[in-house]
Amino acid sequence: MSARATTRPGGRSARVQQSVHQAVRDLEAEMGRDALTVPLIAARAGVTPSTVYRRWGDLRELLSDVAVERLRPDAPPADHGGLRADLEAWTVQFAEEMSSTAGRTYIRDALLGDPGQGNAARCSDYAAEQLKVIAVRAAGRGEAVPDLETLLDVVVAPLMYRILFRPSELSQEYVGRLVAAALGRVGSPSGT
Amino acid sequence: MSARATTRPGGRSARVQQSVHQAVRDLEAEMGRDALTVPLIAARAGVTPSTVYRRWGDLRELLSDVAVERLRPDAPPADHGGLRADLEAWTVQFAEEMSSTAGRTYIRDALLGDPGQGNAARCSDYAAEQLKVIAVRAAGRGEAVPDLETLLDVVVAPLMYRILFRPSELSQEYVGRLVAAALGRVGSPSGT
DNA sequence: CAGCCTAATGCGAAGAAATTGCGTCTGCCG
DNA sequence: CGGCAGACGCAATTTCTTCGCATTAGGCTG
């Protein structure tokens, strides 16, 4: 289980978590991610190392928590008036963010320090939520929309696979082809 | 770059690498992966910790190396007489191996301790090589075969995405659907 | 085949990080 | 207002990590 705020926003636990997360972000920007250590972060956050170890277990889990937080979308997908436009815009932005050096690092961090796969699932849920918004919006316009599972399989999965396993450029044309493939599968069966 | 045998098979370096790799496999089986430490592995391998640190840098990279080694296919894909049968058989086996607890751990280890993405790329290359064998074999029979990039996008990527990000069962029916989707895309454009 | 040369390993010490027990304090709840 | 549970600070201990130096194995040349 990840360390989430279990107390109210004003509580001490919440303050400590916020302070530690902020320390991670600051130090990451200042000295680079590989220079991070628990004692260093703790000192910057104004807490003792043992506090960090007790709450997060180890550095990997802490970084995983921070990374997931950074991967959370900050706004609903933009509305471009049509399913294809919405999908393409969202996918291009997604690909850019995730394939950047920082994005890849966050994904890897999120995947790594993650005993129960919970953080990885949250990453996927973020994408799924965004896609669902697009899908519902399109359905409201009366458009036929691909299944959510299909979108994840056809659009998101290939992007993430390339980002994680096959360092290569993700051209806009390629992204467009993925979206086209998804749109060609309206109504396809899904599920595992 | 990963620590590979740069000397001849009989050299001392090669012996040390083999010994350390074997120690990792043994200890992983005996005490569980989370109990592994560099000093522990070094002691079992009959070397000093500093040797391990010098050759591999840290525990993550060592585990990454061992994981990639374990993910290497031990045999070419079986020949079932037809493209669809070959693809389905290979994909089912791939999905089973990779979604097992051990498989997931190896994938994560391979991804993690990997500065230049080299080990992750090797994982992808393993799958690509196997698929290429199947594709060439089918082409030799005169069958129309999907592009290799398409196979990776449509078959491998969704499997890996689900394994890494969405802990769920991979039914044989689902695998069959992925293969069917790939076969329906014979001659599709590819590339990034 | 003998002897040198490079590179990797062993060893040991010093520094840093991780783990743990115990006392204290915060803040929630009766 | 006072108790109680959980979280935190502190400090000692253990373990891991890094580094310089000496040694040795194995390749390479003459």
Side-chain angles (χ1 to χ4, degrees):
Chain A
M1 219 30 19
S2 307
R4 311 291 295 283
T6 55
T7 57
R8 313 241 217 102
R12 183 166 65 162
S13 292
R15 275 202 310 276
V16 168
Q17 162 158 348
Q18 208 170 2
S19 173
V20 169
H21 275 216
Q22 190 60 45
V24 170
R25 287 188 286 266
D26 291 349
L27 290 171
E28 193 172 349
E30 288 175 23
M31 355 193 41
R33 183 186 163 284
D34 291 339
L36 298 184
T37 67
V38 170
L40 189 68
I41 294 166
R44 170 66 68 104
V47 300
T48 62
S50 59
T51 295
V52 174
Y53 287 118
R54 268 191 281 257
R55 294 232 342 193
W56 283 276
D58 60 14
L59 179 60
R60 282 184 5 194
E61 284 190 49
L62 171 56
L63 292 182
S64 183
D65 256 25
V66 174
V68 170
E69 212 58 36
R70 289 192 166 197
L71 292 172
R72 159 177 290 156
D74 50 324
D79 188 340
H80 290 84
L83 175 59
R84 174 181 293 267
D86 282 3
L87 265 185
E88 279 184 352
W90 179 84
T91 307
V92 165
Q93 187 189 338
F94 180 82
E96 275 174 8
E97 286 179 4
M98 295 300 182
S99 65
S100 70
T101 303
R104 283 210 318 267
T105 301
Y106 297 150
I107 295 169
R108 284 158 51 104
D109 282 345
L111 273 179
L112 281 173
D114 193 10
Q117 305 264 106
N119 282 349
R122 284 173 65 194
C123 292
S124 179
D125 287 344
Y126 290 156
E129 286 169 17
Q130 298 284 93
L131 288 171
K132 185 144 193 69
V133 169
I134 291 177
V136 167
R137 192 188 288 155
R141 295 189 195 100
E143 298 186 79
V145 296
D147 187 88
L148 182 56
E149 296 295 323
T150 300
L151 287 173
L152 288 173
D153 279 354
V154 176
V155 177
V156 178
L159 289 175
M160 293 298 296
Y161 184 73
R162 287 184 130 89
I163 289 167
L164 287 175
F165 291 96
R166 313 180 64 203
S168 59
E169 286 304 304
L170 299 173
S171 72
Q172 199 148 338
E173 187 206 346
Y174 174 70
V175 168
R177 216 177 309 130
L178 292 180
V179 170
L183 293 177
R185 282 233 221 153
V186 172
S188 290
S190 63
T192 57
Chain B
M1 65 315 317
S2 309
R4 313 288 295 281
T6 55
T7 58
R8 316 247 211 97
R12 184 167 62 161
S13 292
R15 277 202 309 277
V16 167
Q17 163 158 349
Q18 209 169 4
S19 174
V20 170
H21 274 215
Q22 189 61 46
V24 169
R25 287 187 286 266
D26 291 348
L27 290 172
E28 195 173 346
E30 289 175 23
M31 354 193 44
R33 181 185 166 285
D34 291 338
L36 297 184
T37 67
V38 170
L40 189 68
I41 293 166
R44 170 66 68 103
V47 300
T48 62
S50 58
T51 296
V52 174
Y53 285 117
R54 267 191 289 254
R55 297 230 344 194
W56 282 276
D58 61 12
L59 179 60
R60 279 181 10 189
E61 283 190 48
L62 171 56
L63 292 182
S64 182
D65 257 25
V66 174
V68 170
E69 211 61 34
R70 290 193 163 196
L71 291 172
R72 161 177 287 157
D74 50 324
D79 189 340
H80 291 84
L83 175 59
R84 174 181 293 268
D86 283 3
L87 266 186
E88 280 185 350
W90 179 84
T91 308
V92 165
Q93 188 189 336
F94 180 81
E96 276 175 5
E97 286 178 6
M98 295 301 182
S99 66
S100 70
T101 303
R104 282 210 318 266
T105 301
Y106 296 151
I107 295 169
R108 285 157 53 103
D109 283 345
L111 272 179
L112 280 173
D114 191 8
Q117 306 264 106
N119 281 348
R122 284 173 66 194
C123 291
S124 179
D125 288 343
Y126 290 156
E129 286 169 16
Q130 298 283 95
L131 288 171
K132 185 146 195 67
V133 170
I134 291 176
V136 168
R137 192 188 286 156
R141 295 191 194 101
E143 299 185 76
V145 297
D147 186 88
L148 183 56
E149 295 294 324
T150 300
L151 286 173
L152 289 172
D153 279 355
V154 176
V155 177
V156 177
L159 290 175
M160 293 297 295
Y161 184 73
R162 287 186 129 88
I163 289 166
L164 286 175
F165 292 95
R166 312 179 65 202
S168 58
E169 286 304 306
L170 300 173
S171 72
Q172 198 148 340
E173 186 206 347
Y174 174 69
V175 168
R177 218 177 308 132
L178 292 179
V179 170
L183 293 177
R185 282 233 223 153
V186 172
S188 290
S190 63
T192 58

